[in-house]
Amino acid sequence: MAAEASESEPALQELMREAEISLLECKVCFEKFGHRQQRRPRNLSCGHVVCLACVAALAHPRTLALECPFCRRACRGCDTSDCLPVLHLIELLGSALRQSPAAHRAAPSAPGALTCHHTFGGWGTLVNPTGLALCPKTGRVVVVHDGRRRVKIFDSGGGCAHQFGEKGDAAQDIRYPVDVTITNDCHVVVTDAGDRSIKVFDFFGQSKLVIGGQFSLPWGVETTPQNGIVVTDAEAGSLHLLDVDFAEGVLRRTEMLQAHLCSPRGVAVSWLTGAIAVLEHPLALGTGVCSTRVKVFSSSMQLVGQVDTFGLSLYFPSRITASAVTFDHQGNVIVADTSGPAIFCLGKPEEFPVLKPMVTHGLSHPVALTFTKENSLLVLDTASHSIKVYKVDWG
């Protein structure tokens, strides 16, 4: 009996953690619900639940009208009511949450573990974000999303510093942004699936160059150490290198680096070795099920390592569906997994795969990730419309 209890304890802790993250947290401000006045969970007339502080922040100061941040239905701040099921759940789980090591904000983490130290964005600030990049000079975070202005730039504290890229049909407008990168001289490069082009802006949003007519479906984009741009074409199954004079807004040369790829999407470049990682989405024969495959090429475009969903299943009990790829500062390949959801380190390409979980809690649907100079991991979570900042906790 004692053995059975010890075996069930991790599952119970995991259940408690999921309840805390999924049910007991306001998905607008990411603060925990509670009995304190500003953190009390409130029902909107549409049925969604936010904390009282967010109701006050969203409501018009005179009319008290507000728009639900999730379904966008019109509501009135004065028509909200306490969400009794959540309050009862807080009372029911209160003591367990205070004691449970699964409560990630209160519990001590193992030395060297990645823990979430900061979250910014949220619904309204970001709408269905798809791409994430970091400015190498300023350290500012750039995100592309489905808002009225497609490109949003955040300062180091998570505040919105600037936004641009109007939604529209003009050549310099952005119809459907998929990914973004920042060049070494701070130009913003966006892949636009709407008109199948690549658009270049300066850091203040001035259009510098539109590259159209050369791609079937440009998807992933990344900057190389030499200030080139690598782009995946998901429909053509190819990987390209663009040589651009950003100051003059001129495309000098385009080179196809790889052909015959299977629906390549995400792409990453190692600044340590110059290696390029490509995330493919091949269709499993006879099943109609889409799997994922990570291929890593050397700086001379020789294949040095690859692993797919099936290969990873031999090392990990759950299915891993890679949605994003990047390199850390040591040259390890890092992938985001939407099935977990989680973040995994696959090791160096020549060691594939050395599967090591890095983040297994607190994510909903990670779609992009990158490392800062200070070695913090930024994860773009499209389901919560937010950027989550993970740091190593050395205890």
Short mmCIF file of all heavy atoms in Angstrom, two decimals, residues 1 44 68 93 100 222 256 260 281 321 349:
data_model
loop_
_atom_site.label_atom_id
_atom_site.label_comp_id
_atom_site.label_asym_id
_atom_site.label_seq_id
_atom_site.Cartn_x
_atom_site.Cartn_y
_atom_site.Cartn_z
N MET A 1 0.82 -1.20 0.00
CA MET A 1 0.00 0.00 0.00
C MET A 1 0.86 1.26 0.00
O MET A 1 0.59 2.24 -0.67
CB MET A 1 -0.92 0.00 1.23
CG MET A 1 -1.98 -1.08 1.20
SD MET A 1 -3.17 -0.86 -0.15
CE MET A 1 -3.99 0.61 0.43
N LEU A 44 -17.75 36.92 -16.71
CA LEU A 44 -18.29 37.86 -17.68
C LEU A 44 -19.61 37.30 -18.21
O LEU A 44 -19.89 36.10 -18.07
CB LEU A 44 -17.30 38.09 -18.82
CG LEU A 44 -15.93 38.65 -18.44
CD1 LEU A 44 -15.08 38.84 -19.69
CD2 LEU A 44 -16.05 39.95 -17.67
N CYS A 68 -14.98 41.25 -24.19
CA CYS A 68 -14.31 40.06 -23.65
C CYS A 68 -12.98 39.85 -24.37
O CYS A 68 -12.92 39.83 -25.60
CB CYS A 68 -15.19 38.82 -23.83
SG CYS A 68 -14.36 37.28 -23.37
N LEU A 93 -8.57 23.18 -2.73
CA LEU A 93 -7.17 22.84 -3.00
C LEU A 93 -6.19 23.75 -2.29
O LEU A 93 -4.98 23.60 -2.45
CB LEU A 93 -6.90 22.90 -4.51
CG LEU A 93 -7.75 21.98 -5.40
CD1 LEU A 93 -7.33 22.17 -6.86
CD2 LEU A 93 -7.62 20.53 -5.00
N SER A 100 2.12 21.69 -1.98
CA SER A 100 2.54 20.86 -3.11
C SER A 100 3.78 21.40 -3.79
O SER A 100 3.84 22.57 -4.14
CB SER A 100 1.41 20.76 -4.14
OG SER A 100 1.88 20.12 -5.30
N GLU A 222 15.54 33.35 -40.66
CA GLU A 222 16.56 33.51 -39.63
C GLU A 222 17.75 34.26 -40.20
O GLU A 222 18.02 34.21 -41.41
CB GLU A 222 16.99 32.14 -39.12
CG GLU A 222 17.98 32.14 -37.96
CD GLU A 222 17.40 32.68 -36.67
OE1 GLU A 222 17.15 33.90 -36.63
OE2 GLU A 222 17.22 31.91 -35.72
N MET A 256 19.81 28.91 -53.60
CA MET A 256 19.09 27.78 -53.02
C MET A 256 20.09 26.87 -52.32
O MET A 256 21.01 26.32 -52.94
CB MET A 256 18.33 26.99 -54.09
CG MET A 256 17.52 25.83 -53.51
SD MET A 256 16.65 24.84 -54.75
CE MET A 256 15.41 26.00 -55.31
N HIS A 260 14.19 19.53 -52.19
CA HIS A 260 13.62 18.22 -51.86
C HIS A 260 13.43 18.04 -50.34
O HIS A 260 13.51 16.92 -49.83
CB HIS A 260 14.48 17.09 -52.41
CG HIS A 260 14.83 17.24 -53.85
ND1 HIS A 260 13.87 17.29 -54.85
CD2 HIS A 260 16.03 17.42 -54.48
CE1 HIS A 260 14.47 17.45 -56.02
NE2 HIS A 260 15.77 17.53 -55.83
N HIS A 281 7.85 18.87 -41.92
CA HIS A 281 6.55 18.30 -41.55
C HIS A 281 6.14 17.26 -42.60
O HIS A 281 5.19 17.47 -43.36
CB HIS A 281 5.49 19.39 -41.43
CG HIS A 281 5.64 20.23 -40.21
ND1 HIS A 281 6.70 21.10 -40.03
CD2 HIS A 281 4.87 20.34 -39.09
CE1 HIS A 281 6.57 21.71 -38.87
NE2 HIS A 281 5.46 21.25 -38.27
N THR A 321 5.80 16.44 -30.89
CA THR A 321 5.50 17.13 -32.14
C THR A 321 6.23 18.47 -32.13
O THR A 321 5.81 19.40 -31.45
CB THR A 321 3.99 17.35 -32.30
OG1 THR A 321 3.30 16.10 -32.18
CG2 THR A 321 3.68 17.97 -33.66
N PRO A 349 24.26 18.14 -32.86
CA PRO A 349 23.83 17.32 -34.01
C PRO A 349 24.58 16.01 -34.15
O PRO A 349 23.97 14.99 -34.50
CB PRO A 349 24.12 18.25 -35.21
CG PRO A 349 24.06 19.63 -34.64
CD PRO A 349 24.58 19.53 -33.24
#
